[in-house]
């Protein structure tokens, strides 16, 4: 009797395993708190859009709300990128680790853009 094939959980599209960082990203706790608050508001906004769809609200109304969420996510991305450039890249440059940091940033931007 043949043994069953190994089952692996399917990888979701867009999911990438964490990279093996030889350096640590340390973020200001207050900044992290602000980002988490923004993301919580976005999460609530998305639940609101889901409710709109469930209630068969007019498509233009839903699209306006989707655009608002996209804008809010773009703002979060800009904040993260700004912090990364001013904190993480600067720290890597001071530590003499700039090439790896820039390579990671370029790879992330390739996926983001």
């Amino acid at each position: 009797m043949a043994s069953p094939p190994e089952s692996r959980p399917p990888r979701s599209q867009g999911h990438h395993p964490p990279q093996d960082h030889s350096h640590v990203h340390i973020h200001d706790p207050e900044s992290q708190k602000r980002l988490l608050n923004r993301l919580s508001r976005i999460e609530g906004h998305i639940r609101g859009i889901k409710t709109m769809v469930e209630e068969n609200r007019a498509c233009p109304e839903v699209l306006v709300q989707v655009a608002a969420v996209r804008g809010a996510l773009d703002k979060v991305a800009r904040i993260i990128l700004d912090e990364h450039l001013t904190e993480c890249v600067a720290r890597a440059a001071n530590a003499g680790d700039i090439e790896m940091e820039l390579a990671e940033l370029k790879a992330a931007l390739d996926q983001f853009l």
Side-chain angles (χ1 to χ4, degrees), residues 16-94:
H16 301 281
Q19 294 185 8
D20 181 25
H21 293 283
S22 62
H23 55 281
V24 178
H25 284 86
I26 301 168
H27 298 278
D28 173 47
E30 195 57 40
S31 175
Q32 185 178 25
K33 182 179 175 182
R34 283 191 303 269
L35 280 171
L36 290 172
N37 286 339
R38 280 180 181 270
L39 289 168
S40 291
R41 285 193 305 270
I42 292 168
E43 187 177 31
H45 204 148
I46 290 172
R47 282 192 303 273
I49 293 170
K50 182 179 176 187
T51 300
M52 291 175 76
V53 170
E54 290 170 343
E55 295 172 351
N56 290 314
R57 299 277 290 272
C59 295
E61 290 179 48
V62 176
L63 289 172
V64 166
Q65 296 308 311
V66 169
V69 168
R70 284 169 121 179
L73 281 172
D74 285 346
K75 178 67 175 172
V76 167
R78 283 191 299 273
I79 291 168
I80 291 170
L81 179 59
D82 181 60
E83 281 191 16
H84 186 70
L85 292 171
T86 58
E87 300 293 328
C88 303
V89 172
R91 188 171 31 252
N94 289 335

